[in-house]
Amino acid sequence: MIRCMLNIWGVILYLRLPWITAQAGIGLTWLIILMSAVVTTITGLSISAISTNGKVKAGGTYFLISRSLGPELGGSIGLLFSFANAVAVAMHVVGFAETVRDLLLEFDAVMTDPVNDIRIVGVITVTVLLGIALAGMEWEAKAQVVFFFVIMVSFINYFVGTLIPATEEKMSKGYFSYRGDIFLENIGPEWRGESGNFFGMFSIFFPSATGILAGANISGDLKDPAVAIPKGTLLAIFWTTLSYLAISATIGSCMVRDASGSLNDTLGSPNATDGCLGLGCGYGWNFTECAQAGTCEYGLANNYQTMSMVSGFSPLITAGIFAATLSSALACLVSAPKVFQCLCQDKLYPVIGFFAKGYGKNNEPLRGYMLTFVLAIAFILIAELNTIAPIISNFFLCSYALINFSCFHATVTSSPGWRPSFRYFSKWSALFGAVVSVVIMFLLTWWAALIVVGIILVSLAYVSYKKPDVNWGSSVQAGTYSMALSYSVSLTQVEEHVKNFRPQCLVLTGPPSFRPALVDFVSAFTKGVSLMICGNVAGVSMGMLGGGGASSRGHVEWLNRRKVRSFYTLITAPDLRSGAHSLMQVSGLGRLKPNTVVLGYKQNWQTDSPHNLENYVATIHDAFDGQAGVCVLRMKDGLDVSQTVRAYGDVKVLGADELTETHFQAQQKKKCVDVYWLFDDGGLTLLVPYLLSRRKRWSRCRVRVFVSGHLGSAEQQRQEIQLLLSKFRLGFSEVLVLPHVAWQPEESSLKEFEDLVAPFRLNEGQRSPEAMESLRRETPWKVSDEDLRVYRKKSEQQVRLHEILQENSRNAALIVMSLPVVRKGACPSALYMAWLETLSRDLRPPLAFIRGNQQDALTFYCQ
């Protein structure tokens, strides 16, 4: 309480409150004081709530806001508040130096000139204060108690002085003791000078109300911050507001606005008031000449030292000014480095980490003290209190706005972790305090408010972009969760529409770092557009041993460092098919469920066990059964980049690091993306290349669409497809018709296909039909003569398509092709994989087989 009161009772109280009363009148001055009190009281309630919601450590206001709102806003307010406190040191020291300068003028002991004297005294003073602060908190606390005692004595001295009858010398300076007509005259405003308006006076007064954070700023040094901060802050606001109101009313009731200070300006007789203007005439004094010329040196409107003149013993007021200014300056000088040190230790911004180091048992921020010292001297050199005060007002108002918004946001998000023991606050009063603070900021100095808001936005953007590795359980996180939950639930109430179709992908990556190209491919067309889930099917033994939370966190961190916006989910299952089937059923939430399953091509299908081959092909069929589309990606060198490493007797499987660049992260320049749209699958085969072409890396690629057709009507078919694509608004204009798809492939190509299938042929020999049926049941993946006969046309088509791919797309950036599909259980797994192998082998560009599930992915209608 004492620290807050000392910081509130600063230079403005003694040197500017009487002058503000002269300008605004007692009525509007009370309004200014009460407006400030409303803002500070609401903010005090918010501080009390935040500070009692858990243990408060060092860092004061910055700690309170950053741990409540998160690093984005917390970091920017830490910068602003540290700077505001450093400038506040200069303001209070300049107020002290003004008083010393006036004393030097009174005793005719000016060193150089009035302005440079303020600078000289200010620099010497702030250097001495730095020495006291460096001596440690114990010395600083003792000094504060002495200052508080001196201020209380000066107050008593002032109020006693207002009751003492006025002497002639005091009358010549405008003091006439309590008078009803003086009170009535001073109740209304009389604006003078450039800052002569309501908000001009408010901007000069408001810094005197900003000391309410002095207690919170030393939260790390308080025995019980949760009790001390609310109790001390609110009591300090109450007592200081009362003192401001009392001083404004009393000084405005016993002093006139203009007085010459000359004992010769008396009227010849009490009734000789001809030509005399002003209240002084009624008391035998004529201040008309200086009042009309604007040369009066005394009176409420002209002399900043009126409290000293009114008091019973003026040296005590001077001592009070010294105590108030020095105590406030000392409090700010201690607060600024501690707040800045806490900010630096959180490593939110570059460069400033140098100031994070602390010294001694109390971890004193000596480097922060030196930085504050330099900033304070820079503003002391301005040497004009009325210029420095409005600068600080905007910074403190912004701090108050964010403190109140923190309290409102934490309450409105209904986070279970928001349980302040201080209950006497309202979310609406906190919101009101935040809005009022922002409004006043712009009413005071709009350009300074814009600068402050600009600083916050730049620092917020930087922290949001860098995403520092901190987790403080902020209300922003709680709000994000609440919004995500609300939107997810509301989505379930909306029917799906083709215009909003997005390929929501379940990507069977295994550990994502093992197949970075597969991750990057899907990320390239889903990032910022739709859902992506990286699914890892781990064996039961592996899942039990190493598939826990720590491993999952590592995979998520890898995805985040690679800037891939994807979820990661792990499931333990005996084999790929059962695990993938479970993932298809349980992945997602409401409408945010996968509608497309993405797999890597099985490179080792010819050497792997028949069981695994069957499971791989069955997984594709299961995806179609689950009403999902399928995408299979093949790259020339394979997708799996994992390596088995032996070290110290342990065997580890390592994936790629997050900096590994894949084909899908490279700039593709002016290459082609070739789309072989051979079957109507709802449009997914066309939609994926379109989404890919919107990426900067792929935007310069031409998209060529190949369709099958007949030689006689090729041109007509090309125009029809072009018209259809233009209606879809995909931006694909280059269409090529392939009339020779149905041609017979070359004998050498057919021979290669037969050699590929040969190891998987069913050796029928002279066996009976019963024996053959039994053999088929035992080895369903093998290819019989009957299978080759039934699918001869389809096999030849795949061989011919491979020849076309080699002819047209050898240098493409990517090939997208309709995935061949057969009825489930009708075609042996080995034959199906032989088709995919034939189509995709020996191709330099990546090839993505895509097949939708007949759900419309494109439309050219408006509704």
Side-chain angles (χ1 to χ4, degrees), residues 10 78 190 317 405 507 628 684 731 744 766 779 802:
E190 189 178 305
I317 293 294
F405 182 73
V507 193
L684 185 63
Q744 188 71 14
Q766 301 299 319
T779 56
H802 175 68

Side-chain angles (χ1 to χ4, degrees), residues 230-501:
K231 200 171 181 181
T233 302
L234 295 173
L235 280 173
I237 292 170
F238 175 76
W239 290 116
T240 52
T241 301
L242 211 59
S243 65
Y244 281 139
L245 293 172
I247 289 170
S248 173
T250 52
I251 198 110
S253 301
C254 58
M255 278 202 73
V256 294
R257 285 187 168 98
D258 295 299
S260 63
S262 172
L263 294 171
N264 297 323
D265 283 346
T266 55
L267 292 170
S269 68
N271 298 320
T273 58
D274 294 342
C276 181
L277 300 173
L279 287 176
C281 305
Y283 306 119
W285 292 85
N286 186 357
F287 303 130
T288 308
E289 185 179 341
C290 75
Q292 290 181 338
T295 57
C296 293
E297 295 182 5
Y298 293 92
L300 274 181
N302 307 297
N303 182 15
Y304 292 144
Q305 300 283 353
T306 49
M307 277 187 69
S308 181
M309 187 266 292
V310 168
S311 66
F313 184 58
S314 62
L316 283 178
I317 293 294
T318 304
I321 293 171
F322 287 178
T325 53
L326 294 177
S327 65
S328 297
L330 191 56
C332 293
L333 187 60
V334 170
S335 298
K338 287 185 178 290
V339 173
F340 194 60
Q341 181 189 33
C342 186
L343 172 66
C344 296
Q345 286 172 343
D346 285 334
K347 299 177 182 176
L348 302 181
Y349 302 104
V351 181
I352 62 173
F354 173 79
F355 298 98
K357 185 174 174 60
Y359 296 86
K361 64 177 183 178
N362 291 328
N363 197 33
E364 292 293 337
L366 300 186
R367 294 174 179 177
Y369 278 122
M370 296 312 298
L371 178 64
T372 306
F373 176 70
V374 170
L375 281 171
I377 287 179
F379 281 89
I380 285 169
L381 295 179
I382 295 175
E384 178 53 58
L385 191 61
N386 289 0
T387 303
I388 299 172
I391 295 173
I392 300 170
S393 292
N394 267 303
F395 287 105
F396 278 115
L397 277 165
C398 188
S399 301
Y400 291 177
L402 282 172
I403 289 170
N404 286 310
F405 182 73
S406 300
C407 186
F408 166 76
H409 196 265
T411 308
V412 83
T413 53
S414 304
S415 171
W418 174 247
R419 302 185 301 274
S421 54
F422 181 83
R423 298 287 183 182
Y424 305 101
F425 72 95
S426 162
K427 61 183 176 184
W428 301 118
S429 65
L431 180 62
F432 175 75
V435 172
V436 166
S437 298
V438 172
V439 169
I440 293 173
M441 271 175 66
F442 281 92
L443 289 175
L444 295 187
T445 322
W446 65 267
W447 56 266
L450 286 176
I451 291 172
V452 172
V453 171
I455 293 170
I456 288 179
L457 290 177
V458 169
S459 55
L460 188 149
Y462 176 82
V463 176
S464 299
Y465 175 74
K466 283 292 182 181
K467 290 184 175 57
D469 187 20
V470 293
N471 183 9
W472 297 327
S474 67
S475 62
V476 171
Q477 291 171 328
T480 304
Y481 173 85
S482 183
M483 286 173 62
L485 185 62
S486 175
Y487 288 143
S488 297
V489 171
S490 63
L491 267 177
T492 61
Q493 301 164 10
V494 180
E495 287 296 321
E496 291 182 358
H497 194 283
V498 61
K499 286 200 297 183
N500 291 325
F501 178 87

Side-chain angles (χ1 to χ4, degrees), residues 507-518:
V507 193
L508 300 178
T509 58
S513 60
F514 286 12
R515 295 171 180 81
L518 184 60

Side-chain angles (χ1 to χ4, degrees), residues 546-566:
S551 174
S552 294
R553 279 194 298 274
H555 295 313
V556 171
E557 287 168 6
W558 185 88
L559 290 167
N560 290 339
R561 288 195 298 270
R562 204 170 174 83
K563 294 183 171 58
V564 174
R565 295 183 65 176
S566 171

